[in-house]
Amino acid sequence: MSRLNLLDLLPSELEDLAESIGGPRYRGRQIAGWIYGKGVADIEAMSDLPREFRATLAGRATVAVPEIERRTPSQDGSQKLVLVCEDGARIQSVLMPDADRLTLCVSTQVGCGFSCAFCLTGTMGLERNLTAGEIVGQVLAARATLPAGARITHIVYMGMGEPLANYAATVKSLRILTDPGGLAFSPRRITVSTVGLVSAIERLAREDLKVNLAISLHATSNEIRDRLMPVNKGFAIEELLEACRRFPVAVRQRITFEYVLLKGVNDGPEDARRLVRLLKGIRAKINLIPFNDWEGSGFQRPALHRILAFQEILLEHGIRATIRWSKGEDIGAACGQLKETVEV
Ligand code: SAH
């Protein structure tokens, strides 16, 4: 039987566990201090825990941080990490430095089942969900690679997989990452990105997590979105935007709408104007992502002047719109380029 992974537990649950093996509750806080404060994964090395307690704990549990198999640095300073889970599944995380920020992009599933037409990860299909511990473990693994003094300032759930299709593990990982006794990230520095699963967005709205929401919109008519994102056949644009209107957005925060620009598909001035109309009444900002090409995709990135013209229309209407020149394009780590080939 596989042992309990302590990374699946909230600090309060570590206290419960400590109690259940005959120790005082504060032993749980000590364990959290070792794991999250000091980055120690070896239970035997947690030297302020009594020897017998350590032995009992080690008999039942491990701290399963995914192992780094490969680190690929990009010319732009970002870095792709290929991580191996306990069952051998491979996932990817991407570290992206930018001015005074260091953002980590984490995966929530092995592969993805949503088959967005322009996304390489989607061609893998869904292999399995990650556990909360495997999501949290990516943060610990990435942190361990950093030079002294550097720290991860932001986390985006934008790696492989659809976070809201792995709802329970995603929410649990968010609670562990933001727990003051855990990694203590401010929820305002965490963003969860979704293809637009309306019922899950509504559920997330009730969790009181205060994390940021990003929506992969990518089209302004149901006809185009149906073609690009099969999920749209279940939840149409109007319904999705209604859920966004009802989502509790913190003061000074906005919902991010991601919009991949595909030449001749969704990059015209009429698309930009429709986008302006659709987002009326929503505290929104738009992230325009020029398409990152991959072999056999069948799509192309628009010319620079088309990208800038699209942005200009949004700006003229007072909508915040930035162009996200993806990081890590040269190492296959850009948006929608994450794919691990299974080696046989
Ligand atoms: N499943 C979630 C999390 C993935 S986030 C979601 O869809 O939001 C990754 C972002 O990159 C999504 O907005 C996705 O649509 C976008 N993307 C996928 N493939 C891309 C590509 N080839 N070029 C640019 N962006 C892409």
Side-chain angles (χ1 to χ4, degrees), residues 284-320:
K285 61 179 177 197
I286 300 179
N287 245 320
L288 299 170
I289 318 174
F291 173 63
N292 295 307
D293 206 0
W294 44 277
E295 208 179 312
S297 71
F299 294 102
Q300 284 174 298
R301 177 182 288 195
L304 181 62
H305 71 91
R306 291 274 286 187
I307 297 173
L308 296 175
F310 196 99
Q311 180 192 31
E312 192 52 39
I313 294 173
L314 301 175
L315 295 176
E316 273 166 13
H317 287 84
I319 297 187
R320 280 193 208 184

Side-chain angles (χ1 to χ4, degrees), residues 228-240:
L228 296 178
M229 304 177 73
V231 68
N232 197 62
K233 293 175 189 144
F235 302 104
I237 292 180
E238 298 71 27
E239 211 188 325
L240 173 57

Side-chain angles (χ1 to χ4, degrees), residues 18-315:
E19 206 167 40
S20 78
I21 57 179
R25 293 188 67 79
Y26 72 82
R27 296 269 178 245
R29 293 197 287 280
Q30 286 176 303
I31 299 169
W34 282 105
I35 299 174
Y36 298 113
K38 302 198 183 75
V40 169
D42 177 7
I43 292 173
E44 282 309 317
M46 300 180 179
S47 54
D48 57 1
L49 303 177
R51 187 161 304 157
E52 211 174 303
F53 182 91
R54 261 184 277 167
T56 316
L57 183 62
R60 296 203 191 170
T62 57
V63 182
V65 179
E67 203 178 300
I68 298 182
E69 182 180 68
R70 223 170 341 120
R71 280 167 69 176
T72 319
S74 160
Q75 283 176 4
D76 61 24
S78 68
Q79 194 176 167
K80 178 167 86 172
L81 307 178
V82 177
L83 303 166
V84 189
C85 300
E86 275 198 306
D87 67 347
R90 284 182 174 74
I91 51 173
Q92 301 183 354
S93 313
V94 186
L95 271 167
M96 300 171 290
D98 192 9
D100 52 350
R101 292 183 173 205
L102 179 57
T103 302
L104 178 69
C105 176
V106 295
S107 296
T108 53
Q109 298 181 313
V110 184
C112 184
F114 284 85
S115 307
C116 296
F118 48 82
C119 179
L120 180 60
T121 311
T123 64
M124 290 176 69
L126 176 64
E127 285 180 30
R128 72 166 173 88
N129 280 329
L130 294 182
T131 62
E134 287 168 331
I135 301 171
V136 173
Q138 294 170 60
V139 181
L140 293 179
R143 188 179 69 168
T145 69
L146 300 180
R151 62 185 191 94
I152 296 166
T153 60
H154 293 75
I155 298 174
V156 294
Y157 282 55
M158 296 186 183
M160 297 164 100
E162 166 53 37
L164 298 188
N166 183 12
Y167 189 85
T170 291
V171 167
K172 182 89 187 258
S173 69
L174 291 167
R175 293 202 192 286
I176 297 170
L177 294 176
T178 55
D179 194 297
L183 281 166
F185 270 95
S186 160
R188 290 188 166 67
R189 290 168 175 249
I190 301 181
T191 301
V192 175
S193 180
T194 176
V195 289
L197 299 177
V198 170
S199 32
I201 292 171
E202 285 173 341
R203 220 174 136 194
L204 189 68
R206 295 192 295 268
E207 301 279 355
D208 196 29
L209 278 162
K210 302 194 171 69
V211 295
N212 299 301
L213 181 66
I215 304 285
S216 290
L217 189 62
H218 304 324
T220 56
S221 73
N222 284 314
E223 190 204 333
I224 302 175
R225 198 165 190 268
D226 278 351
R227 262 198 292 140
L228 296 178
M229 304 177 73
V231 68
N232 197 62
K233 293 175 189 144
F235 302 104
I237 292 180
E238 298 71 27
E239 211 188 325
L240 173 57
L241 295 181
E242 261 324 296
C244 292
R245 285 195 173 83
R246 287 193 297 266
F247 196 82
V249 182
V251 197
R252 284 191 295 276
Q253 303 290 99
R254 285 163 192 275
I255 296 180
T256 301
F257 289 87
E258 294 153 284
Y259 194 96
V260 58
L261 286 164
L262 304 164
K263 181 178 176 180
V265 177
N266 65 357
D267 64 337
E270 63 289 355
D271 294 285
R273 283 191 283 269
R274 263 202 305 267
L275 188 52
V276 171
R277 283 199 295 277
L278 282 174
L279 297 183
K280 277 234 165 72
I282 302 180
R283 291 238 308 275
K285 61 179 177 197
I286 300 179
N287 245 320
L288 299 170
I289 318 174
F291 173 63
N292 295 307
D293 206 0
W294 44 277
E295 208 179 312
S297 71
F299 294 102
Q300 284 174 298
R301 177 182 288 195
L304 181 62
H305 71 91
R306 291 274 286 187
I307 297 173
L308 296 175
F310 196 99
Q311 180 192 31
E312 192 52 39
I313 294 173
L314 301 175
L315 295 176

